[in-house]
Amino acid sequence: MVAISVLTIAVVGATGSILAGDRLQRANRDSAIAEDAVRQVLESMRGSDLATTFARFNTTVADDPGGVASPGATFDVAGLRSPPTNAGAPVGTISFPIILNGAVPELREDFVDDEMGMPADLNADGAIDALDHRGDYRVLPVRVRVQWYGPLGTRTLTVETVLWNR
């Protein structure tokens, strides 16, 4: 009886460890997929000049460059599911320091976001103002976020960086 009890406890413990290990392995796979997706989006952004990048990846289609496929500010990632609270929505989002003026996104130096390093002097004129700098910015802060639902629940990967023309 004692031997069977000890054996049962050992089997239950081993099964729990195997299941936890499997869950962790799936979570690590999902994290790697999210990291790869963020890397691909940033590489795509770096492949264009700042004006084209901003126009292609912001929240409006009104300023999309003619003849160029514009992905917009959201993207899906194969292999990742959106969280239940946002079921069916794309798992990836791209954001810039913009304030919407109607449907037009204004690129603003006075936008407040500590993680993105804002407010900041985007046109390198030595001053931070409340003007729209879509026509004269020299640096472009960007946030790429992937939020998905996996074996460990809702997970988020966020990368903030600054783009500039080379």
Side-chain angles (χ1 to χ4, degrees):
M1 191 68 132
V2 171
I4 291 175
S5 296
V6 169
L7 183 59
T8 301
I9 291 171
V11 168
V12 168
T15 302
S17 293
I18 289 169
L19 292 174
D22 181 55
R23 187 171 50 242
L24 187 58
Q25 182 180 14
R26 287 184 288 137
N28 287 339
R29 178 192 60 87
D30 288 354
S31 293
I33 290 171
E35 289 171 11
D36 189 50
V38 168
R39 188 176 309 110
Q40 287 177 13
V41 167
L42 288 172
E43 285 176 10
S44 177
M45 292 176 144
R46 288 183 180 120
S48 300
D49 63 89
L50 290 182
T52 302
T53 296
F54 181 70
R56 288 187 66 222
F57 291 96
N58 66 30
T59 57
T60 184
V61 297
D63 62 350
D64 286 355
V68 178
S70 295
T74 61
F75 58 96
D76 278 316
V77 179
L80 298 182
R81 295 184 304 157
S82 23
T85 56
N86 223 5
V91 297
T93 58
I94 300 163
S95 55
F96 300 103
I98 61 172
I99 296 173
L100 288 177
N101 183 2
V104 179
E106 292 185 353
L107 187 60
R108 299 275 296 266
E109 293 179 333
D110 63 336
F111 184 85
V112 177
D113 187 322
D114 291 338
E115 286 80 22
M116 200 180 276
M118 295 298 296
D121 182 12
L122 302 180
N123 64 349
D125 68 352
I128 296 173
D129 56 47
L131 301 174
D132 181 7
H133 287 280
R134 283 179 296 153
D136 67 350
Y137 58 95
R138 306 215 21 217
V139 296
L140 181 61
V142 62
R143 171 182 295 124
V144 180
R145 174 175 287 149
V146 177
Q147 186 173 57
W148 71 98
Y149 185 78
L152 300 179
T154 300
R155 307 279 310 271
T156 304
L157 172 66
T158 304
V159 174
E160 286 106 3
T161 190
V162 177
L163 304 174
W164 62 91
N165 285 328
R166 297 179 193 266

